[in-house]
Amino acid sequence: MSDATKAPAQKETRLQLCILHVVRTIDLTPRMRRIVLGGQDLADFDVPTNALGPYVKLLIPPKHLAEPEWPTIGFDGRLVWPAIERRPVMRTYSVRRFDKAAAELHVDFVMHGDRGVASAWAARAQPGDVVGIWGPGCPTTQNIDWYLFAGDHTALPALAFIMEHLPPTARGQVFIEIPDETEMQALARPEGVEVTWLCPNGAHPGTTSALQDAVKAASWPSDARVFVWAGAEGSVARSIRNHMRTQHRLDREQMYVLNYWKRGASEGAFGYVD
Ligand SMILES: Cc1cc2nc3c(=O)[nH]c(=O)nc-3n(C[C@H](O)[C@H](O)[C@H](O)COP(=O)(O)OP(=O)(O)OC[C@H]3O[C@@H](n4cnc5c(N)ncnc54)[C@H](O)[C@@H]3O)c2cc1C
């Protein structure tokens, strides 16, 4: 094989991993903490502003290691993970903001307790701590007349990004379920997009039907090209997906409804769509 034919294959198998560090942390609300990440690897990173909820895969070092062994690409092109005690744990988080000029990536974490690797990592994160990221993944759509957005607390960072970047002429409705009023955040949004906060006070996250009830009661102009976006606990997301399929006959191109997390299961133990 000539050198010219070798080059593209080598490029294809390069692992697009950015090794970043914590620059600072900000407690936005009692249960939402922002981790600002920086590092030279962000020079090659970018996020299209039309992405409907861009996300990254975070590679979080195990608690006992300041820096893990990172995965590599093997000769056969497959991902090779280091031994379990030295490898990072992968979790999915939204890009809340990417500031290319400052080379800073903002990621907002719901603090749901010590049971979660990511939540616990964010709780103890200090400037200088190392973390890897892959991505971003960037869902997009086009030619939409009316948007229906729905999310629980974990989808608030994605919804805030989307609202900031939707065209000013966009029209639609957003439902956001949060544990209580202290978790509300100021959201920039186009004038034609209405935001409704749902606060079933005191209820355990993912156990109420507030979000799915609001989505099921929503309506839109009958001739509008609609797009439904949702991120929520698995059973809530499934209920929204089924409703859109059966009651509104929406197909896969007309909705992006993800299981953001699942009660009683760690990420990796469930699919994002079912
Ligand atoms: C595309 C995408 C974007 C996402 N963006 C964000 C984001 O920007 N911010 C964010 O906070 N989350 C976000 N999530 C959700 C996040 O990935 C999950 O909550 C993830 O499970 C957290 O990992 P963990 O290690 O803390 O907990 P895990 O180890 O995955 O789970 C441990 C235990 O905690 C429970 N658990 C997990 N998440 C929650 C929760 N939110 N509330 C209560 N219990 C929980 C699980 O049921 C399990 O019992 C996103 C998910 C997806 C798919």
Side-chain angles (χ1 to χ4, degrees), residues 91-94 108 110 112 116-119 154 262 264-267:
R91 293 288 184 265
T92 310
Y93 278 79
S94 305
D108 293 355
V110 171
H112 67 84
V117 174
S119 172
T154 59
K262 194 161 189 149
S266 285
E267 186 177 348

Side-chain angles (χ1 to χ4, degrees), residues 30-242:
R31 277 181 264 187
M32 182 77 84
R33 170 173 263 214
R34 174 164 299 163
I35 308 286
V36 178
L37 300 171
Q40 288 182 346
D41 287 1
L42 286 177
D44 294 332
F45 184 86
D46 219 343
V47 181
T49 52
N50 67 341
L52 290 178
Y55 60 87
V56 289
K57 296 289 180 185
L58 287 180
L59 281 88
I60 300 169
K63 208 173 173 180
H64 61 282
L65 284 181
E67 185 158 357
E69 263 178 43
W70 303 108
T72 53
I73 298 284
F75 288 118
D76 59 358
R78 291 196 189 172
L79 201 58
V80 181
W81 286 92
I84 199 153
E85 65 282 2
R86 301 193 55 80
R87 73 171 64 156
V89 174
M90 195 155 77
R91 293 288 184 265
T92 310
Y93 278 79
S94 305
V95 172
R96 172 62 188 88
R97 178 172 295 127
F98 178 55
D99 183 338
K100 183 94 181 159
E104 285 187 352
L105 176 67
H106 295 202
V107 182
D108 293 355
F109 291 73
V110 171
M111 308 306 297
H112 67 84
D114 278 350
R115 285 169 311 154
V117 174
S119 172
W121 176 82
R124 65 174 185 273
Q126 296 290 330
D129 286 359
V130 169
V131 69
I133 63 160
W134 256 320
C138 296
T140 53
T141 186
Q142 50 191 354
N143 299 327
I144 300 305
D145 301 319
W146 208 93
Y147 292 94
L148 175 60
F149 294 103
D152 67 15
H153 207 191
T154 59
L156 177 50
L159 290 169
F161 179 101
I162 296 169
M163 290 305 115
E164 272 172 19
H165 296 289
L166 275 179
T169 53
R171 289 188 309 140
Q173 170 81 57
V174 189
F175 296 108
I176 308 175
E177 182 179 347
I178 47 173
D180 58 51
E181 282 87 355
T182 64
E183 294 301 318
M184 284 173 80
Q185 296 184 27
L187 292 185
R189 62 176 174 85
E191 219 176 277
V193 177
E194 189 189 331
V195 176
T196 305
W197 295 90
L198 307 165
C199 309
N201 278 312
H204 198 270
T207 60
T208 86
S209 63
L211 192 62
Q212 66 217 48
D213 291 347
V215 167
K216 287 175 188 175
S219 60
W220 48 83
S222 56
D223 57 345
R225 283 166 300 189
V226 66
F227 188 78
V228 177
W229 186 107
E233 196 281 327
S235 59
V236 176
R238 190 179 333 111
S239 160
I240 293 174
R241 213 178 287 122
N242 286 343

